[in-house]
Amino acid sequence: MSDLLYSEEEEALRAAVRDLLTDHCDTTSVLARAESDAPHDLAAWKALADGMGLAGLLVPEARGGQGATHREAAVVLEELGRAVAPVPYLTSAVVATEALLNCADGEGPLADLASGRVIGALAVGLHTAPGTAYATVRADGGALHGELTGIADAAVADVLLVPADDGGPGPLTADEVTVTPQTSLDLTRPLARVTLDAAPGRRVGDAEPAVRRALRAGAGLLASEQLGVAEWALTETVRYLKDRKQFNRPVGGFQAIKHRLAQLWLEVVNLRAAARAAADALATGEDTDVSVTVAQAYAAPVAVRAAEEALQLHAGIGMTWEHPVHLRLKRAKADSIAYGTAGAHREALAELVDLRAP
């Protein structure tokens, strides 16, 4: 069993990412972007991906990346979750990258994604759980026809990996397809409809194993993003309740509030353990399916409850649009159905460990 504690290098990485996000993704700028027609912070993405080299963490050095592991990527995602940073890290540096790592002819696009100068997206609905059915488009002589919905960060992608009915994913540049924004609860991770009308495609590998690998990594590392959301909610709520006074004493001093916070702290600690186990399993290849499904079965309810508790315990101020808690609540709610719901992962886990219901 690996040591799930954070190493010195991982803590140094966390500090560097947090400093960068403090400069780029403060609440005012994130909220302003969320209300605009261009919600993605491409300056922050460039600083993370190109400046710090974080887009290629999962790519071996021999293939143009940094040669790190899912543990380091998980630390990055924790900080991105804390800041609800509107950058396509999960979709490009994790999901699209993992798909290309499984494609024999994906070296060119993979190196481009690892460099951070190109953003990729897997054209599979964000709600799709690992190992479940997903929509494909029709391949006809090198041209792709069809429509795919719920594609996260498609609007900012330079390259789309599109699964076709001939069993192969094909990379397309985004200007060769029609990308139509869809209404999304989480304004910091917009969804889109992708329409292909005889769009030229080039097969880079087999779709089924590539999509399965990509969605498994996405689900496993999403738990770290959810951990970041939950930790922010807990930390900010405790800080507020220490300062906020009622009946001439801090609100956090009331016994009922202490019990709620203690229960939430315990759940967040458990979530950290589950998320770290999933990241480590992805890095080592040991018990990966079980660890990922355990993390996702647990992560969504905790992240949502942490954000809900933050909203309620901030009282009236928490209900305002200007307060940052609603951004975390929307991210937590959207994440709760991303890459499969907690219920779907519990069902998958029952099959994996042979504990099916009678």
Side-chain angles (χ1 to χ4, degrees), residues 51-235:
M52 295 182 68
L54 300 183
L57 284 182
L58 300 182
V59 180
E61 292 185 43
R63 302 176 74 176
Q66 302 300 316
T69 72
H70 299 80
R71 290 175 59 118
E72 288 80 15
V75 170
V76 175
L77 281 163
E78 286 179 32
E79 293 306 310
L80 295 178
R82 284 179 63 93
V84 285
V87 295
Y89 189 85
L90 181 66
T91 47
S92 181
V94 175
V95 176
T97 295
E98 284 278 351
L100 284 172
L101 282 168
N102 207 83
C103 293
D105 297 322
E107 293 301 314
L110 180 64
D112 290 339
L113 261 62
S115 72
R117 292 185 290 273
V118 168
I119 297 171
L122 178 67
V124 173
L126 183 62
H127 63 281
T128 310
T132 61
Y134 53 88
T136 60
V137 297
R138 180 170 58 87
D140 183 9
L144 302 178
H145 307 260
E147 184 176 274
L148 302 165
T149 60
I151 311 303
D153 295 332
V156 77
D158 303 301
V159 172
L160 288 171
L161 295 172
V162 183
D165 58 5
D166 66 351
L172 305 169
T173 54
D175 56 6
E176 295 174 317
V177 302
T178 302
V179 178
T180 308
Q182 292 181 282
T183 302
S184 174
L185 175 64
D186 179 9
L187 302 176
T188 63
R189 180 173 285 149
L191 305 178
R193 176 184 298 107
V194 173
T195 305
L196 302 99
D197 184 11
R202 177 176 65 85
R203 181 173 178 141
V204 293
D206 295 330
E208 199 277 329
V211 171
R212 183 175 67 249
R213 173 174 174 167
L215 295 182
R216 185 177 67 176
L221 293 185
L222 178 66
S224 292
E225 176 181 292
Q226 291 165 305
L227 170 61
V229 173
E231 287 189 322
W232 180 93
L234 176 61
T235 301

Side-chain angles (χ1 to χ4, degrees), residues 222-235 237 260-275 294-311 328-329 331-333 335-337 341-343 346:
L222 178 66
S224 292
E225 176 181 292
Q226 291 165 305
L227 170 61
V229 173
E231 287 189 322
W232 180 93
L234 176 61
T235 301
T237 303
R260 289 173 69 170
L261 293 173
Q263 179 61 36
L264 186 57
W265 177 85
L266 184 62
E267 293 180 13
V268 172
V269 168
N270 290 337
L271 171 53
R272 184 183 300 117
V294 166
Q296 271 308 307
Y298 190 76
V302 173
V304 170
R305 205 176 83 78
E308 289 175 343
E309 287 285 82
L311 186 74
R328 274 74 182 185
L329 179 56
R331 172 63 70 89
K333 291 291 284 186
D335 281 355
S336 71
I337 60 173
T341 63
R346 283 194 294 269

